[in-house]
Each structure stands twice: as structure tokens, then as C-alpha cells.
């Protein structure tokens, strides 16, 4: 049996101020699958992803990548750190943290440069990524002058330029307009087709439904409330209600949980 | 249920009186402008048609300019310092750096340094010598409390000369530094300055630069958010109190932000060593530049020792 790509065993993490981030969560991510971590605000999605990315380390439990325990010590080792960082990419929820260079171009080049590629290869990669995501026009702009959605795309470009086998995406669709959300869903599909592993944290049920092979639902107690195929979990109204992902007025049609803002201002009907 | 006051419309108000933008707002605005300038510097450092100084290898440029700054500290006469200044100004002109970009950042600091730091050295108390200008002379001892006033206060020729020297040296040094930063991309500069010994220092600089923008943005956003929620403009003292409290919040935010920026760098494979896209290269231009620098520095030193030593200053 092949060892899972990433594996968290009963991890618990508390922030320095004592608040719980995640409690006794066990997750394993197999090569090539698309896992979605669903949860309401503050349920611990970001915390769990950062643990899997080796950016923070659990107080209890262990996280393994390619069967090696992730710890501050193991990531001190230059070789392991390098392979790990190249194979596992992370999209930050807060894109401002990811975009710290003078121009969009430099930001995308930052990752490939750390891989010790030749300058020409780095340039080629950056330019290909720019045109893939349709960002060529803003390549020389400073990232802090972009709109929220553009920043998201640039951050995603910065991640793709490293070409990691596994992508940990924290709220990739927040702040995107409907067309860009669609675009993201299609991009996720293409990445999957290329054999990439995706772990996506979101509270968007529609996105989860479209890209997930498997879903993990986090409860508001920062524990895993359920795990399973999207067909089952995303139709389980009681489960989704109990973790506050949907409200009383959500309902199921076309075999899926359907959520829309419930208001009496505009009526709509369901065929 | 929303409380009923949410539904109450705000009463219409007469047009607001125009108020001049407050000090706080102006300051924030200037801070943002400063950030723009930093970006602007990045743009100058990477023009469409790079000039001589832009294309020089960053390491060579860093070392040669440091060398020239060291040479400047050995010069004891203003005219020989001008030789160095003229050299770098010429190199900047050849590289098509607009003079405005070169000088507008720091011209104001020169008279300031002259008056505050250098001029006191011109007094006879610090540098005795031939009096040029007498500020006062007392025939009998005067005491101010415990303080015994010196009987005579004058500006001396020797003192003035040394004040001028200190100011000029500073001017030349800053001119060199500005030329360097205006023609070298920040990434390249850090990469050039990086070695095992300087690694922690370079890391700190990288971080500081990386999140400067975001930090400034945060301050501006905070103020905007506050203004959006404020109905009447606050009194200046209230604004000051607000800023005071924000500074505290900003400290904690900036700490979190550094942590996040750093982990974002780690996540993309950063291992403490700056990398830049421009490769180091040593060619004819570099050799010619180093020779030119050495020649100018020797010329200035020689002139300083031999010729100018004979002049009255
Ligand atoms: N830096 C921090 N310091 C202290 N507590 C934190 C910090 N970051 C998160 N927390 C707390 O940890 C818990 C989990 O947060 P986390 O960011 O993982 O949630 P999330 O599911 O990603 O939420 P969201 O959907 O809002 O992004 C929350 O209760 C939060 O308040
Ligand atoms: Mg989050």
C-alpha cells in the first residue's frame, strides 16, 4: 500500500493566546485526490491546512508528508525542506501575506527562484504562468495596487509557478466574482486531470460540490464532524445545519443542498 | 430580528462645511506617498532602456560605491570631495537618471545637517582659530545661574571649514548611496550584500522591505474604515487619541503580518538566502568601471594630499 501524501494523526493545535485552532483531527490525503475541507468561519480550516503545510506544528499528534514527520527539526534539513516546499504549495487566505514583491512579475518569480532554476527557465515559467492566468497586462504592476480578485489570481499564479504536486488552497474563491469562480472550478478540474492533489478549504458548498472527491466537515468545536463523499455529506441537511454551514431556510433540490439568502424582498420559485 | 433603529433613516443634513484636511489625514497621505516613491525607485532602477549604472553587476557596483564612500572619508578638503561628487553625477547623467530623482530625496537634509550638526563645530569653543564673525565679546565675566558664559563667542575660519567639510562629506556619501539604490533593484542589492556573515542582517532587511507596503496599506485602511464609520469629523485631540490607540493595534498587527509574510516565503521555498533574477556577470564594462572608480578615487586622494594641502583651507 502506498503511504498517503499527507497525513495528520490526531493533531491538536492551540494558538499562543490559548484558543483552540483545531482539536484531534485526523486527515489523510492520497496522491491525486481532491479533498475539500468544509467548515463555518473560525472552525479551524486555515489551522488544519497550515499544519498540513508544515507552517505551524501541532501540540499533540503528528503530521507526515511522504511518510516523514513534519517538525521544525525535519524542515531545518535543507534537502527535505526543499523537496517538501516544491511538492506542497500553499495558497494563503490572506493574499497580502503572499504578495510581498515590488511587481507581480517578481512575486511569481519568487518561488521558481528558490528552486535554483536558471534565470532563463525562471523567466519562461513566469511568462507562461502569466499568460495561462491572463495576467500579462498587470505583470509590472505592484501587487498592492491590485483589486482583491486580481490579488487572488496573482497569488495562485505564484503558487502554480512552483508547480507543486499538491496544492493546499485556503479559500481560493473568496472575493472572486461568479465568472472567476467558474474559472477557478475549471482550473481545478484541469489540475486534477494533470494528476495534482488538491486540498481546498472553503465554506462555499457549490465549489465543494464541483471539485471534491471527498469532503471533511469541521464543526464549530474545531473537531472533524464528518468525512465522506460529497454526494452524501452535501445532502445531509442536518449535518450541515449542526455545523452552521447552512441556515434554516436551506433546502434540497436537484438532489443538492441549495442555499440562498433567505429574504422576503424578492421571491423566487423552484421548478 | 434586527433592532428597529436599523430601519430608521438618518435625517437629511445641510451640506457640510468645508474643513481643511486634518493633520492626521495629511500625514497618512504623505506616508502613502512615501510608499509610492519607493515603488517609483524600483521603476527607475529598471527602466526600459537601462543605462551604464543599471547594467553593471550589482556586486561590483556595491563594492565600488562602498570603496568610493570610504575614499571620501579620507579626503580633508571640500574641492577634492567635489571631484568624487562630479564623477558620480556624470555617471548618473550617462545612465539617464533624472537629476530630480537623484536629488529630491535628500537635498533638504544638507542645510539641516549644516545648521544642526556642523555649524556648532564652527564656534571657537569647539574649533579655536582665526575669528571670522564675532557673536559677542564680554569685558567682564557674566554668569547665568551656575553657568559661566565664555568671554567670547566667535565663528572661526577653521571651524567653518571643518563644518563645510563634514557637510560636504555627508552630501557626497548620501549621493553615492542614493545613486546605488536608484540604479539597483532591491532584490539584486540584497543578493549582492548577502554572504554568510551578513546573512541575518540581509534577512531582516528583506523582511522589512517586504512588508512595508502592506503595513502602510493597513494604516491607511484603518483610517479609512474609521472615517467611513464616523459621522462628524473628530476634534484634533480626538484624532490624536485615536492614532495613539491605533499604534498599539498596529504593532500587534504588524507582528502577525511579519509572521504570515515569513511563512508565505517559507511555503514558497525560501531558505534564508536571497535570490534574484539577474545573474551576476563580469565583463568589460565592469572592469572599465572599476578602473574608472579607482582612477577617480586616487586622483581625489592625490589632489587632496599634494595640491590642496598648500591652499589656505
Ligand atoms: N493568530 C491567531 N491567534 C489566535 N487565535 C487564532 C489565530 N488564528 C486563528 N485563531 C483562532 O483559531 C480558530 C480557528 O481559526 P481558523 O483561522 O483556522 O478558522 P477558519 O476555519 O479558517 O475560519 P475562516 O473561514 O474565517 O477563515 C478560531 O477560533 C480563531 O479565532
Ligand atoms: Mg481561514
Amino acid at each position: 500500500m502506498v503511504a498517503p501524501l499527507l497525513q495528520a494523526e490526531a493533531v491538536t493545535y492551540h494558538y499562543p493566546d490559548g484558543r483552540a485552532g483545531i482539536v484531534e483531527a485526523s486527515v489523510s490525503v492520497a496522491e491525486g485526490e481532491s479533498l475539500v475541507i468544509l467548515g463555518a468561519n473560525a472552525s479551524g480550516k486555515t489551522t488544519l491546512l497550515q499544519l498540513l503545510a508544515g507552517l505551524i506544528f501541532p501540540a499533540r499528534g503528528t503530521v507526515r508528508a511522504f511518510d516523514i514527520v513534519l517538525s521544525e527539526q525535519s524542515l531545518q534539513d535543507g534537502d527535505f525542506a526543499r523537496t517538501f516546499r516544491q511538492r506542497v504549495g500553499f495558497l494563503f487566505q490572506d493574499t497580502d501575506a503572499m504578495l510581498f514583491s515590488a511587481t507581480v512579475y517578481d512575486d511569481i518569480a519568487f518561488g521558481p527562484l528558490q528552486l535554483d532554476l536558471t534565470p532563463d527557465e525562471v523567466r519562461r515559467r513566469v511568462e507562461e504562468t502569466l499568460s495561462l492566468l491572463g495576467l500579462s497586462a498587470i505583470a509590472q504592476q505592484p501587487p498592492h495596487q491590485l483589486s482583491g480578485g486580481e490579488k487572488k489570481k496573482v497569488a495562485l499564479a505564484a503558487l502554480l509557478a512552483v508547480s507543486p504536486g499538491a496544492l493546499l488552497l485556503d479559500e481560493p474563491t473568496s472575493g472572486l466574482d461568479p465568472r472567476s469562480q467558474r474559472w477557478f472550478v475549471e482550473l481545478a478540474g484541469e489540475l486534477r486531470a494533470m494528476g495534482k492533489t488538491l486540498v481546498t478549504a472553503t465554506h462555499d458548498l457549490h465549489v465543494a460540490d464541483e471539485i471534491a472527491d471527498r469532503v471533511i466537515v469541521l464543526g464549530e468545536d474545531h473537531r472533524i464532524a464528518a468525512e465522506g463523499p460529497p454526494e452524501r455529506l452535501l445532502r445531509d441537511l442536518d449535518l450541515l445545519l449542526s455545523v452552521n454551514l447552512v441556515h434554516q431556510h436551506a433546502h434540497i433540490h436537484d438532489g443538492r443542498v441549495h442555499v440562498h439568502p433567505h429574504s422576503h424582498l424578492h421571491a423566487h420559485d423552484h421548478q | 430580528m434586527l433592532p428597529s433603529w436599523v430601519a430608521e433613516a438618518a435625517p437629511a443634513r445641510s451640506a457640510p462645511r468645508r474643513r481643511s484636511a486634518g493633520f492626521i489625514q495629511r500625514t497618512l497621505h504623505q506616508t502613502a506617498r512615501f510608499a509610492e516613491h519607493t515603488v517609483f525607485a524600483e521603476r527607475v532602477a529598471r527602466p526600459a532602456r537601462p543605462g551604464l549604472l543599471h547594467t553593471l553587476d550589482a556586486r561590483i557596483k556595491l563594492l565600488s560605491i562602498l570603496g568610493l564612500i570610504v575614499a571620501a572619508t579620507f579626503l580633508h578638503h571640500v574641492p577634492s570631495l567635489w571631484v568624487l561628487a562630479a564623477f558620480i553625477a556624470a555617471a548618473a547623467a550617462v545612465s539617464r537618471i533624472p537629476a530630480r530623482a537623484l536629488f529630491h530625496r535628500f537635498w533638504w537634509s544638507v542645510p539641516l545637517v549644516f545648521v544642526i550638526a556642523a555649524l556648532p563645530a564652527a564656534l571657537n569653543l569647539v574649533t579655536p582659530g582665526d575669528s571670522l564673525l564675532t557673536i559677542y565679546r564680554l569685558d567682564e565675566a557674566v554668569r547665568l545661574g551656575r553657568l559661566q558664559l565664555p568671554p567670547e563667542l566667535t565663528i572661526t575660519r577653521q571651524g567653518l571649514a571643518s563644518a563645510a567639510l563634514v557637510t560636504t562629506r555627508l552630501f557626497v556619501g548620501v549621493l553615492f548611496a542614493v545613486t546605488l539604490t536608484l540604479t539597483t533593484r532591491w532584490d539584486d542589492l540584497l543578493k549582492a550584500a548577502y554572504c554568510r556573515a551578513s546573512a541575518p542582517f540581509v534577512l531582516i532587511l528583506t523582511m522589512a522591505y517586504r512588508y512595508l507596503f502592506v503595513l502602510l496599506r493597513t494604516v491607511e485602511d484603518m483610517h479609512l474604515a474609521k472615517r467611513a464609520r464616523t459621522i462628524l469629523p473628530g476634534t484634533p485631540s480626538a484624532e490624536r487619541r485615536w492614532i495613539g490607540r491605533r499604534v498599539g493595534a498596529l504593532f500587534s498587527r504588524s507582528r502577525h503580518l511579519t509572521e504570515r509574510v515569513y511563512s508565505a516565503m517559507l511555503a514558497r521555498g525560501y531558505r534564508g538566502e536571497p535570490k534574484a533574477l539577474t545573474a551576476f556577470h563580469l565583463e568589460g564594462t565592469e572592469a572599465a568601471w572599476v578602473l574608472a572608480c579607482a582612477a577617480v578615487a586616487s586622483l581625489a586622494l592625490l589632489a587632496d594630499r599634494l595640491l590642496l594641502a598648500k591652499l589656505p583651507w
Side-chain angles (χ1 to χ4, degrees):
Chain A
M1 207 204 117
V2 209
L5 195 70
L6 294 171
Q7 186 170 33
E9 283 157 30
V11 286
T12 298
Y13 183 86
H14 290 275
Y15 282 95
D17 60 3
R19 286 205 282 173
I22 188 87
V23 179
E24 288 181 6
S26 297
V27 183
S28 91
V29 184
E31 183 117 31
E33 78 166 327
S34 171
L35 174 69
V36 165
I37 301 174
L38 263 181
N41 288 140
S43 56
K45 302 183 293 294
T46 298
T47 312
L48 182 55
L49 274 190
Q50 293 200 338
L51 284 165
L52 291 174
L55 294 173
I56 54 179
F57 303 97
R60 285 198 304 281
T62 52
V63 181
R64 285 171 208 274
F66 335 119
D67 231 9
I68 295 173
V69 175
L70 288 185
S71 65
E72 245 155 318
Q73 291 84 337
S74 66
L75 283 171
Q76 291 285 320
D77 173 17
D79 284 338
F80 176 64
R82 197 153 112 194
T83 350
F84 177 71
R85 296 296 175 206
Q86 185 185 351
R87 291 180 62 182
V88 181
F90 190 89
L91 178 77
F92 281 73
Q93 178 172 7
D94 170 15
T95 40
D96 275 335
M98 261 188 92
L99 306 177
F100 40 64
S101 302
T103 63
V104 168
Y105 193 101
D106 289 342
D107 247 323
I108 300 176
F110 184 86
L113 275 172
Q114 313 302 323
L115 302 178
D116 295 323
L117 302 176
T118 67
D120 281 337
E121 270 180 293
V122 172
R123 285 197 197 92
R124 197 173 50 80
R125 269 204 192 188
V126 175
E127 267 140 38
E128 281 176 10
T129 317
L130 281 169
S131 65
L132 175 72
L133 299 198
L135 297 170
S136 303
I138 55 169
Q140 292 305 324
Q141 230 152 291
H144 67 104
Q145 289 178 357
L146 303 178
S147 81
E150 285 172 323
K151 282 188 196 172
K152 261 270 136 70
K153 281 195 178 181
V154 174
L156 201 53
L159 179 62
L160 290 177
V162 182
S163 180
L167 292 88
L168 309 182
L169 308 172
D170 198 356
E171 308 271 5
T173 55
S174 71
L176 295 185
D177 60 26
R179 197 176 60 104
S180 304
Q181 289 203 10
R182 203 57 256 147
W183 165 86
F184 170 76
V185 169
E186 274 157 29
L187 178 73
E190 285 174 42
L191 292 170
R192 301 252 343 263
M194 293 168 82
K196 307 260 184 198
T197 310
L198 296 183
V199 183
T200 313
T202 183
H203 46 239
D204 187 323
L205 297 174
H206 296 288
V207 170
D209 191 21
E210 301 213 57
I211 67 174
D213 293 331
R214 197 157 59 91
V215 175
I216 282 180
V217 178
L218 291 182
E220 285 187 311
D221 57 354
H222 313 296
R223 292 169 186 271
I224 294 183
E227 182 186 342
E231 299 78 38
R232 179 160 61 79
L233 294 194
L234 294 179
R235 269 188 241 177
D236 190 340
L237 207 52
D238 291 336
L239 166 72
L240 298 180
L241 268 174
S242 73
V243 297
N244 279 330
L245 263 168
V246 299
H247 45 74
Q248 298 293 344
H249 303 290
H251 39 237
I252 295 184
H253 63 125
D254 291 344
R256 293 275 187 266
V257 172
H258 188 63
V259 200
H260 40 79
H262 187 83
S263 107
H264 298 288
L265 291 178
H266 42 92
H268 65 277
D269 44 21
H270 301 285
Q271 284 89 6
Chain B
M1 262 307 271
L2 290 174
S4 62
W5 50 260
V6 174
E8 280 163 26
R13 281 176 56 89
S14 51
R17 270 183 303 131
R18 261 187 71 86
R19 290 173 93 252
S20 62
F23 164 76
I24 307 283
Q25 224 171 306
R26 277 203 311 276
T27 313
L28 285 169
H29 200 74
Q30 281 158 0
T31 325
R33 283 279 297 282
F34 170 73
E36 291 293 336
H37 275 305
T38 322
V39 176
F40 173 66
E42 284 279 344
R43 292 222 183 104
V44 180
R46 185 176 10 187
R49 284 191 314 149
L52 167 73
L53 285 175
H54 301 101
T55 48
L56 280 178
D57 178 276
R59 271 177 313 180
I60 295 292
K61 211 184 330 176
L62 179 65
L63 287 178
S64 60
I65 285 187
L66 283 180
L68 288 174
I69 292 177
V70 170
T73 61
F74 284 106
L75 300 178
H76 295 292
H77 303 279
V78 174
S80 46
L81 279 165
W82 282 112
V83 173
L84 291 188
F87 171 68
I88 200 73
V94 167
S95 310
R96 290 187 299 271
I97 301 170
R100 234 183 72 83
L102 204 55
F103 291 106
H104 85 276
R105 276 154 220 278
F106 73 100
W107 66 268
W108 49 268
S109 65
V110 173
L112 202 69
V113 168
F114 183 72
V115 170
I116 294 177
L119 211 52
L123 296 175
N124 61 342
L125 303 180
V126 181
T127 320
D130 321 334
S131 135
L132 272 186
L133 178 77
T134 308
I135 294 168
Y136 69 77
R137 180 172 291 139
L138 301 169
D139 296 326
E140 54 202 86
V142 174
R143 291 180 154 274
L144 281 178
R146 291 255 200 86
L147 199 71
Q148 164 91 56
L149 279 190
E152 191 185 45
L153 192 65
T154 63
I155 287 178
T156 66
R157 194 168 47 74
Q158 288 85 344
L160 204 57
S162 82
L165 185 67
V166 168
T167 315
T168 314
R169 221 181 250 161
L170 180 93
F171 169 76
V172 171
V174 175
L175 185 62
F176 279 128
V178 170
T179 311
L180 178 67
T181 53
L182 269 184
T183 56
T184 319
R185 305 221 16 240
W186 184 249
D187 289 349
D188 293 335
L189 201 57
L190 288 175
K191 189 178 164 191
Y194 179 82
C195 65
R196 192 177 284 272
S198 66
F201 188 60
V202 170
L203 179 68
I204 291 171
L205 280 180
T206 318
M207 296 300 298
Y209 179 77
R210 295 268 183 244
Y211 88 103
L212 176 71
F213 290 126
V214 188
L215 200 57
L216 287 173
R217 185 59 171 262
T218 315
V219 189
E220 257 197 321
D221 283 353
M222 279 175 165
H223 194 249
L224 267 185
K226 177 200 168 243
R227 280 217 306 162
R229 278 178 292 167
T230 313
I231 294 163
L232 288 173
T235 61
S237 74
E239 289 262 291
R240 273 198 302 278
R241 275 200 305 278
W242 180 82
I243 282 284
R245 271 181 273 127
R246 265 337 114 220
V247 169
L250 192 64
F251 264 120
S252 104
R253 267 210 215 185
S254 68
R255 215 196 62 232
H256 280 131
L257 194 60
T258 351
E259 277 167 19
R260 264 178 300 154
V261 169
Y262 187 60
S263 48
M265 292 170 76
L266 284 183
R268 279 198 270 162
Y270 183 73
R271 272 160 292 134
E273 188 186 330
K275 304 257 166 73
L277 205 45
T278 4
F280 289 136
H281 52 96
L282 299 176
E283 283 158 26
T285 332
E286 275 74 32
W289 167 256
V290 170
L291 280 181
C293 287
V296 169
S298 329
L299 188 78
L301 280 166
L302 214 65
D304 197 67
R305 288 294 124 85
L306 295 180
L307 298 173
L308 295 167
K310 301 210 175 79
L311 290 178
W313 28 1

